[in-house]
Amino acid sequence: KNQVEQSPQSLIILEGKNCTLQCNYTVSPFSNLRWYKQDTGRGPVSLTIMTFSENTKSNGRYTATLDADTKQSSLHITASQLSDSASYICVVSYNTNAGKSTFGDGTTLTVKP
Amino acid sequence: DAGITQSPRHKVTETGTPVTLRCHQTENHRYMYWYRQDPGHGLRLIHYSYGVKDTDKGEVSDGYSVSRSKTEDFLLTLESATSSQTSVYFCATIPGERATYTDTQYFGPGTRLTVL
């Protein structure tokens, strides 16, 4: 069964600090891995997307890594801001015609002043 | 947001009634998706479409049907709503006429549906 597990479930950090979110998957065959940010009451917004051959991808203060051998990904947030408070969702696609993906339950990040 | 709108944004209905949710996009995207989001489950795919009149089932399609008679509209119908279908429903699209494996899905604002 295709699964995506994220940890921790929730995280509280102080503004300006860094943090790392984890994603482990058992999806096969692997197509790509995406990280989304979802603010409360809104739809998810894409942060990064990585294919099998990519092991790191950055988007401003967000850096995602991928280890396809161990089937693990991480999202590192640098110099956190209050606006980073959101749910971060890891998504793994297993259908190359863009049909289907497996979503993680997300990590809820709270950044406090 | 790739020009995606969803309607209605909020709806309360009673068990047994039919409900139709609409997803509208204005940029000629070929691929469109319907998801539901529930606490503890993440987003789950209900149905998706890869062109006009071309649709396929996702992992939680029971009790739902879809139609796509025009490129810009993807309708999700709950034929006889049940309390278990209380959820937040998101529509998503992939920009461009032909998706690739590096595709990014863009999500609409969501519809909150409550079935009493």
Side-chain angles (χ1 to χ4, degrees):
Chain A
K1 180 180 178 183
N2 291 323
Q3 286 187 312
V4 175
E5 296 184 352
Q6 294 187 241
S7 62
Q9 186 174 20
S10 61
L11 180 63
I12 300 174
I13 62 173
L14 293 176
E15 186 179 13
K17 297 297 185 181
N18 303 335
C19 68
T20 300
L21 314 180
Q22 299 291 342
C23 172
N24 296 336
Y25 63 92
T26 58
V27 174
S28 181
F30 177 88
S31 174
N32 63 67
L33 185 145
R34 292 165 274 156
W35 283 94
Y36 283 89
K37 177 187 180 188
Q38 185 176 22
D39 293 313
T40 300
R42 307 194 68 168
V45 174
S46 178
L47 295 175
T48 63
I49 182 169
M50 289 182 291
T51 59
F52 186 87
S53 59
E54 297 174 299
N55 55 23
T56 187
K57 185 73 69 78
S58 292
N59 178 0
R61 296 180 296 102
Y62 301 100
T63 299
T65 64
L66 172 64
D67 186 333
D69 291 332
T70 62
K71 297 187 177 180
Q72 296 180 325
S73 176
S74 65
L75 180 69
H76 186 73
I77 303 174
T78 304
S80 61
Q81 301 175 357
L82 298 179
S83 59
D84 291 331
S85 294
S87 178
Y88 291 84
I89 303 171
C90 176
V91 185
V92 182
S93 293
Y94 57 91
N95 188 313
T96 56
N97 72 356
K100 299 178 181 179
S101 304
T102 299
F103 287 72
D105 290 349
T107 292
T108 300
L109 174 65
T110 302
V111 180
K112 293 193 170 183
Chain B
D1 64 357
I4 303 168
T5 58
Q6 294 185 231
S7 59
R9 293 294 314 281
H10 302 271
K11 185 170 182 67
V12 179
T13 190
E14 294 186 350
T15 298
T17 60
V19 177
T20 295
L21 309 182
R22 181 188 185 221
C23 177
H24 180 77
Q25 50 97 358
T26 58
E27 301 183 16
N28 206 34
H29 299 165
R30 178 183 175 191
Y31 283 82
M32 299 184 73
Y33 304 79
W34 275 109
Y35 293 92
R36 60 178 290 174
Q37 187 173 39
D38 305 288
H41 285 281
L43 282 142
R44 291 180 290 174
L45 181 65
I46 305 171
H47 283 278
Y48 70 102
S49 170
Y50 44 95
V52 173
K53 297 185 179 179
D54 291 324
T55 64
D56 201 355
K57 296 180 179 180
E59 59 185 299
V60 289
S61 59
D62 288 347
Y64 301 93
S65 62
V66 291
S67 66
R68 189 155 180 214
S69 57
K70 299 184 292 184
T71 298
E72 57 265 35
D73 287 325
F74 192 30
L75 304 180
L76 177 70
T77 297
L78 288 65
E79 292 137 10
S80 179
T82 67
S83 59
S84 64
Q85 293 176 311
T86 293
S87 185
V88 179
Y89 291 86
F90 286 100
C91 175
T93 73
I94 297 177
E97 294 183 359
R98 185 178 180 85
T100 71
Y101 67 92
T102 59
D103 60 284
T104 293
Q105 294 185 17
Y106 290 85
F107 286 80
T111 293
R112 184 172 295 276
L113 175 68
T114 302
V115 183
L116 300 176

